[in-house]
Amino acid sequence: MMKLIPTSTRGKVRAATFLTAGLAVLGGFAIQGQVRAAQYQYLLNKTYEYAFAELSTSVSQLDTALQKGIYATSPQLFSSLCTEAFRSALAAQTALGSLPYGNVELEETATFLAKTGDYTMSLSRASSQGLSEEQRSTLAALAQRSSALCQTLQSLESDLFSGTMRLEDLAQVQERLSQATQTGDQTTAGSSFQEIEQECSELPTLIYDGPFSDHLADRTPRMLEGQPQVSREDARSAAAGWLGQEPQLFTPVSDGAGVLPSWGFSAQVDGGELYVEVTKQGGQLLEILHSRPVGPAQLTREQAVERAQAFLKKLGYPDMAETYFIDQGSILTINFAGKEGDVLCYPDLVKVSVALDNGGIVGLESRNYLMSHQSRTFSTPAVSAEEARSQVTQGLEVLRQQLALIPTQGENEVLCHEFKCRNEKGQHYILYVNAQTGEQERILLLLEDENGTLVL
């Protein structure tokens, strides 16, 4: 005879069964999650190991190219080796950025790779002129640093793949070094990466036409040379006069230092905050930012350009030519470049933003102009416009031609013949041909639509 289980008992049994099953399912999910996490960690470690191997290989290739370059006498061979060194330095930077400790502990190493790559590329561009003794000495010093870096990386790679060191160990070393830096503890962590940083921290002085040249750190604003210092009160009065406001509206908010020290002021105008910076030397307007609400456009682009040009003349910037613009619907931002005779001077760049509802100036940036503008004397181009035109590739139609002064990466200036061209697809390019050598100096691609022009 079957014994009946009371209803309450059956409920307890059922509940216990469901609870057990639920715990089993949760346990299964937990185990599955642990397995998946372990797989992710494994893949991550493999990614780091691959990046480390790429770093070591790229630095080795960089070292080889530099060592060969010291003794290369053929311009073609030397240029090829410099290009190879640049590619290797770039690959090493990419690998370094993929490591978990790349941006923290190895800052000096990243700087070394960036500077070395850029310097060798600059030598490649000038290889036809031959190397000076100073350049060859600098190249030898870089090669010496790269050899030491290469040896250290190879030693670390050997320890890593032999199993005597793990990536986890390197992460712990980074943490210990970070803590030591923060607390002032002088105890070393015993990391071989410290050797790398020491080897890369003392770079030779690099003076060349490139963005990492050491002469750029001492650069001074050319337009402001010899001009007197202005007080904060004088700067406030000047800002108010330029913008047609009362000086008492402007509140001092900043006291900037650096290459272009400036006084900063803020005012509430037309329902928005108006921020203005005036240089301490010379009392020149450096920047305007006006955050007022801008209504629907009432002015055409041509009218906005006229308002911007009138404001620049008020500031004392004569002969400014419109180059490119960006239309944001209610605000038009125009790039102006200085003109000296028939030469368009791109280093003397000023950006002006005009509100299209009433033509008010809501933005200005004159940093490039203040840093670059100077009295210039242009020699007669050694290469005529007709001769320079021969450097325009077949398939490009020349739409406009003029003389233009363009900045180099090292903030020098080169006089060029500028050719605005169009290909068979309607795309626009600008070609710059050196007016002294007759060689192509730069090529720009213009992406144009109804909202403005993007220069690549």
Side-chain angles (χ1 to χ4, degrees):
M1 180 177 180
M2 182 174 63
K3 184 177 180 180
L4 297 176
I5 300 176
T7 303
S8 59
T9 304
R10 286 200 299 270
K12 293 179 181 179
V13 171
R14 187 180 295 113
T17 302
F18 287 158
L19 179 60
T20 303
L23 291 174
V25 172
L26 289 175
F29 282 142
I31 294 173
Q32 185 180 16
Q34 291 176 353
V35 171
R36 187 172 299 170
Q39 291 174 338
Y40 288 156
Q41 186 61 47
Y42 174 80
L43 292 176
L44 186 61
N45 285 342
K46 286 301 179 183
T47 300
Y48 289 157
E49 289 177 3
Y50 174 79
F52 191 91
E54 282 292 300
L55 174 62
S56 180
T57 300
S58 298
V59 171
S60 177
Q61 294 171 344
L62 171 64
D63 178 46
T64 300
L66 291 175
Q67 300 294 340
K68 293 179 180 179
I70 298 173
Y71 305 105
T73 57
S74 165
Q76 293 80 7
L77 176 59
F78 181 74
S79 178
S80 175
L81 290 170
C82 286
T83 303
E84 182 180 337
F86 172 77
R87 286 199 304 264
S88 299
L90 188 62
Q93 291 178 70
T94 302
L96 187 65
S98 300
L99 296 173
Y101 34 79
N103 293 330
V104 178
E105 193 179 339
L106 298 180
E107 181 179 353
E108 296 289 349
T109 307
T111 301
F112 167 77
L113 294 172
K115 286 189 172 184
T116 301
D118 192 76
Y119 183 69
T120 53
M121 180 53 69
S122 73
L123 292 181
S124 174
R125 291 192 291 265
S127 60
S128 60
Q129 303 172 8
L131 279 184
S132 66
E133 287 302 318
E134 183 179 1
Q135 289 173 327
R136 196 173 295 277
S137 176
T138 300
L139 192 64
L142 292 175
Q144 181 180 1
R145 298 292 181 192
S146 69
S147 294
L149 174 59
C150 180
Q151 292 174 7
T152 303
L153 284 172
Q154 289 176 348
S155 176
L156 277 170
E157 185 179 23
S158 177
D159 291 340
L160 179 64
F161 290 102
S162 67
T164 58
M165 178 182 292
R166 300 178 301 170
L167 283 168
E168 291 84 349
D169 299 330
L170 299 181
Q172 292 173 7
V173 167
Q174 175 194 342
E175 181 178 356
R176 289 174 60 187
L177 282 174
S178 177
Q179 292 175 350
T181 302
Q182 294 173 3
T183 61
D185 185 2
Q186 299 300 315
T187 303
T188 60
S191 170
S192 295
F193 281 129
Q194 288 177 300
E195 300 176 18
I196 295 177
E197 287 293 87
Q198 291 171 359
E199 290 157 2
C200 296
S201 61
E202 296 181 2
L203 280 172
T205 300
L206 302 181
I207 302 296
Y208 68 109
D209 188 20
F212 298 110
S213 179
D214 290 309
H215 83 279
L216 296 179
D218 301 324
R219 190 172 174 230
T220 58
R222 290 170 177 168
M223 181 179 172
L224 304 183
E225 289 180 357
Q227 295 195 23
Q229 298 290 320
V230 299
S231 67
R232 175 177 281 169
E233 286 305 313
D234 288 341
R236 177 160 62 176
S237 297
W242 287 320
L243 298 171
Q245 304 292 334
E246 295 297 326
Q248 60 267 24
L249 291 178
F250 291 85
T251 302
V253 293
S254 66
D255 182 356
V259 177
L260 270 172
S262 61
W263 300 115
F265 306 94
S266 178
Q268 293 297 320
V269 178
D270 295 336
E273 182 179 6
L274 173 61
Y275 177 75
V276 184
E277 284 190 12
V278 179
T279 62
K280 294 181 180 180
Q281 183 180 15
Q284 298 291 323
L285 189 58
L286 176 61
E287 185 176 18
I288 296 175
L289 289 173
H290 196 179
S291 62
R292 74 168 178 85
V294 180
Q298 303 295 326
L299 276 68
T300 64
R301 289 178 180 171
E302 291 75 16
Q303 290 172 324
V305 170
E306 290 176 0
R307 296 290 182 93
Q309 288 176 327
F311 185 70
L312 290 176
K313 288 182 179 179
K314 186 177 181 180
L315 296 178
Y317 294 171
D319 301 325
M320 302 297 292
E322 173 197 358
T323 55
Y324 308 108
F325 69 88
I326 297 176
D327 191 340
Q328 298 171 289
S330 58
I331 296 176
L332 185 71
T333 299
I334 311 115
N335 290 333
F336 290 92
K339 286 205 71 174
E340 297 189 21
D342 59 349
V343 179
L344 188 61
C345 301
Y346 285 107
D348 296 353
L349 179 67
V350 181
K351 295 182 182 180
V352 183
S353 296
V354 180
L356 296 179
D357 58 353
N358 63 7
I361 305 300
V362 293
L364 178 135
E365 182 183 333
S366 62
R367 183 182 187 86
N368 287 337
Y369 191 96
L370 298 179
M371 292 296 296
S372 302
H373 181 67
Q374 58 185 316
S375 177
R376 302 181 178 97
T377 301
F378 298 107
S379 58
T380 303
V383 178
S384 68
E386 290 71 23
E387 292 170 328
R389 186 183 284 261
S390 66
Q391 294 298 313
V392 177
T393 309
Q394 289 185 354
L396 289 178
E397 176 190 1
V398 177
L399 304 177
R400 188 187 69 220
Q401 176 180 341
Q402 66 180 350
L403 282 173
L405 189 71
I406 64 173
T408 68
Q409 288 185 326
E411 302 299 334
N412 294 320
E413 299 175 343
V414 181
L415 182 64
C416 295
H417 293 283
E418 178 187 79
F419 298 93
K420 183 173 182 179
C421 306
R422 179 174 57 201
N423 66 8
E424 65 278 0
K425 296 180 181 179
Q427 293 176 313
H428 287 168
Y429 293 79
I430 294 185
L431 276 64
Y432 293 96
V433 178
N434 192 304
Q436 299 303 321
T437 66
E439 297 180 356
Q440 283 189 356
E441 190 73 27
R442 191 174 303 170
I443 299 176
L444 300 178
L445 170 62
L446 304 183
L447 301 182
E448 300 168 305
D449 59 22
E450 66 278 4
N451 295 320
T453 303
L454 180 64
V455 182
L456 302 176

